[in-house]
């Protein structure tokens, strides 16, 4: 079930870790009976097994040398049978905001609190896209959705900052259409970081009431007007980087809202006075978030 994908991913990490720890034990047990080149390869792998490039290099040496080792030894036979676990695996968990912010948040929070090397990527559509467009805790003030037909009245949950509060979680907020290089950098940094990582990506969907053939342009527009911010927080060095503009053109904020049916339809159902009040509130909320990010980045 999609509610359980964080826990399922953690289980895969735990199983992989157990098998690799067993391989370390088996290698140590046969150091005195294998040839010198294989012994050196074992030692190289044990020292670099948690580094992708180092584990790959050592794995290639072990696979080439272990074929000539004594397979009557159970430990050597087990190592030879499990060479597919030698290269460090990249473990990712994928889900939407309905899962990450709402019904699966307990699992997501548990996984990042474990401190294991798990990468989580959230596609944030700001609504339950796959079950009919219900409001989620990621839905913004003023947005129309099922169970929020009169417009959402409370602020969006800041999942990234909640994860950052742990202090040891790599966190990034991205928008591929706005800055592909920043997105790729976040993916690379999350993979390189030996601990939990959370990447939140702005993802336009059909419930936004836009032309989906231009979703990448919509992602860029969201960042340009200040609706969505780009940042990266790396616990190594405690570096918070604000990758989007510190002073975006908020003059385009209301025009951005007007271009999406999830906001513009509120004017018809609730009247311009109510709608504009909510739209002003959501803009203020975006400005408050940006102020917090600027402070973390040392730009204020």
């Amino acid at each position: 079930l999609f509610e359980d994908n964080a826990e399922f991913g953690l289980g895969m990490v735990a199983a992989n870790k157990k098998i690799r720890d067993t391989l370390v034990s088996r290698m140590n047990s046969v150091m005195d009976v294998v040839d010198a080149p294989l012994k050196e390869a074992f030692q190289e792998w044990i020292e670099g097994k948690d580094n992708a490039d180092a584990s790959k290099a050592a794995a290639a040496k072990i696979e080439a040398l272990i074929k000539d080792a004594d397979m009557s030894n159970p430990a050597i036979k087990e190592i030879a049978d499990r060479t597919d676990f030698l290269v460090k695996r990249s473990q990712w968990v994928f889900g939407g905001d309905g899962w990450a912010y709402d019904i699966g948040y307990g699992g997501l929070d548990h996984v990042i609190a474990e401190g294991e090397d798990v990468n989580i990527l959230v596609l944030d559509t700001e609504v339950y896209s796959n079950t009919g467009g219900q409001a989620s805790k990621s839905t913004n003030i003023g947005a129309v959705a099922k169970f929020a037909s009169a417009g959402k009245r409370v602020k969006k949950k800041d999942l990234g900052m909640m994860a950052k509060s742990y202090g040891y979680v790599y966190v990034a907020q991205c928008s591929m259409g706005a800055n592909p290089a920043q997105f790729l950098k976040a993916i690379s940094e999350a993979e390189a970081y030996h601990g939990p990582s959370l990447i939140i990506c702005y993802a336009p969907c059909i419930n936004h009431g836009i032309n989906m053939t231009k979703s990448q342009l919509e992602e860029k527009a969201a960042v340009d007007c200040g609706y969505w911010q780009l940042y990266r927080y790396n616990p190594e060095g405690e570096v918070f980087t604000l990758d989007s503009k510190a002073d975006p053109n908020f003059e385009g904020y209301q025009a951005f809202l007007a271009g999406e049916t999830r906001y513009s339809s509120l004017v018809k159902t609730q009247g311009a006075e109510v709608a504009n009040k909510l739209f002003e509130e959501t803009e203020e909320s975006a400005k408050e978030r940006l102020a917090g990010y600027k402070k973390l980045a040392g730009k204020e």
Side-chain angles (χ1 to χ4, degrees), residues 180-203:
Q182 187 261 359
F183 172 64
L184 288 174
K185 192 166 187 177
I187 293 287
S188 299
E189 290 178 348
E191 176 57 39
Y193 177 64
H194 296 301
S197 301
L198 174 66
I199 297 179
I200 305 169
C201 297
Y202 184 66

Side-chain angles (χ1 to χ4, degrees), residues 44-177:
E44 181 182 336
W45 182 79
I46 291 172
E47 292 173 4
K49 68 183 179 66
D50 294 326
N51 179 280
D53 292 333
S55 68
K56 189 179 294 185
K61 295 176 183 178
I62 292 173
E63 289 185 38
L65 295 168
I66 203 167
K67 297 174 183 177
D68 299 323
D70 181 10
M71 292 298 168
S72 66
N73 186 309
I76 294 176
K77 179 67 165 60
E78 184 174 357
I79 296 168
D81 288 341
R82 290 186 164 177
T83 53
D84 54 329
F85 285 92
L86 294 176
V87 176
K88 179 185 179 293
R89 294 187 174 184
S90 174
Q91 180 64 50
W92 286 84
V93 170
F94 297 89
D97 57 275
W99 158 72
Y101 287 73
D102 284 358
I103 57 176
Y105 174 71
L108 184 150
D109 181 63
H110 173 72
V111 169
I112 62 176
E114 289 294 294
E116 296 291 347
D117 192 5
V118 183
N119 303 305
I120 301 171
L121 191 146
V122 177
L123 300 171
D124 193 348
T125 66
E126 300 188 324
V127 69
Y128 275 85
S129 302
N130 65 320
T131 56
Q134 296 90 345
S136 79
K137 291 187 182 72
S138 176
T139 304
N140 244 327
I141 298 172
V144 172
K146 289 183 180 178
F147 308 128
S149 58
K152 181 85 174 290
R153 301 300 171 106
V154 292
K155 291 181 180 180
K156 172 177 179 169
K157 180 178 181 178
D158 197 339
L159 183 64
M161 291 299 99
M162 293 172 72
K164 179 190 173 296
S165 68
Y166 277 101
Y168 55 81
V169 180
Y170 178 93
V171 184
Q173 196 161 276
C174 305
S175 180
M176 186 191 295

